[in-house]
Amino acid sequence: QLFSYAPFHTRQILSPSSFIMAISKLNKDNTGLLIIDVQEKLMQVMGQKKRVADNIAKLVLLSKLFNFPVILTEQYPKWLGPTLPELAKSLPVYEPITKFHFNCCDVDAFNNRLDSEDLRNIIITGVESHICVFQTCVSILERGYKVHVPRDAVDSRTEENWRVGLDLMKQAGAVITSTETVIYQILKKTGTKE
């Protein structure tokens, strides 16, 4: 006999919920926002500069409304310039962590800041999705955090590399989402003061 089938009564019946991938939920109490390298010279060569900057600004406003931490990095600012002025002005505090490594987790000041917060979920934004964002995402996942990456708040110089970064992060276990999805996950309901 080529095929052997288990008797019907011994087959496992799977419920619809068993087909749903486990996705971490966001809430204001254990979530932080990471903004990676949204700097003047670097953003000039991004494909979706305005969209990314606008969506990060929305997430900064969300962090202010719900009082969750924002961590900002700048890659070699002497060469790439400071954070976009409009974004820097919107931050509760402008305290960028300067880095030379692509992976934020290779920087002691970043690790100290991340460890000082009581976080489980990290929303990662910035550039470039296939380099600094990707490498940092994987390292943060390895440390046991849940990572949410709004696809409209990250970018690369080319659409192909933007997609590669998103695909790699999804394969690593990140939740690929959107800015609006993140906002409504945190808001939870209408009719609040926020």
Side-chain angles (χ1 to χ4, degrees):
Q1 188 175 15
L2 291 175
F3 299 101
S4 174
Y5 295 100
F8 183 78
H9 68 280
T10 63
R11 293 183 194 164
Q12 183 179 8
I13 306 298
L14 299 176
S15 67
S17 64
S18 64
F19 294 104
I20 299 172
M21 182 176 74
I23 294 179
S24 65
K25 293 181 181 177
L26 290 173
N27 68 61
K28 63 184 175 71
D29 298 323
N30 59 14
T31 297
L33 174 62
L34 172 56
I35 304 170
I36 299 176
D37 308 344
V38 183
Q39 296 162 254
E40 289 179 332
K41 289 182 182 175
L42 196 50
M43 291 303 286
Q44 287 175 4
V45 295
M46 293 300 121
Q48 298 292 324
K49 173 188 172 182
K50 181 168 175 23
R51 179 198 71 195
V52 169
D54 288 349
N55 285 322
I56 293 173
K58 290 174 187 174
L59 293 169
V60 168
L61 178 58
L62 183 72
S63 75
K64 286 180 183 176
L65 288 172
F66 288 98
N67 198 32
F68 59 79
V70 177
I71 303 172
L72 174 71
T73 68
E74 290 180 350
Q75 178 78 27
Y76 192 36
K78 182 178 177 182
W79 181 256
L80 297 174
T83 298
L84 291 174
E86 62 271 25
L87 188 56
K89 289 176 191 170
S90 73
L91 294 168
V93 179
Y94 177 68
E95 293 177 341
I97 296 169
T98 299
K99 65 186 186 70
F100 297 93
H101 293 84
F102 298 124
N103 184 344
C104 294
C105 292
D106 288 338
V107 179
D108 288 341
F110 175 81
N111 290 321
N112 293 339
R113 177 69 198 281
L114 186 62
D115 292 342
S116 73
E117 306 291 348
D118 185 26
L119 303 175
R120 279 187 287 200
N121 295 302
I122 311 292
I123 303 162
I124 299 182
T125 65
V127 296
E128 289 188 64
S129 68
H130 67 297
I131 304 173
C132 298
V133 175
F134 162 67
Q135 290 181 30
T136 302
C137 172
V138 171
S139 291
I140 289 175
L141 286 165
E142 287 174 345
R143 291 172 68 176
Y145 293 93
K146 304 293 184 189
V147 175
H148 292 249
V149 181
R151 65 185 311 123
D152 53 1
V154 296
D155 205 3
S156 292
R157 285 164 287 162
T158 67
E159 183 177 347
E160 180 181 3
N161 282 327
W162 170 73
R163 290 184 187 283
V164 166
L166 291 173
D167 289 344
L168 289 170
M169 289 184 281
K170 184 175 182 178
Q171 289 175 40
V175 177
I176 306 304
T177 184
S178 71
T179 298
E180 189 164 298
T181 300
V182 167
I183 290 169
Y184 282 93
Q185 273 191 288
I186 298 288
L187 284 173
K188 303 248 184 274
K189 64 180 184 176
T190 62
T192 65
K193 64 180 179 158
E194 291 85 18

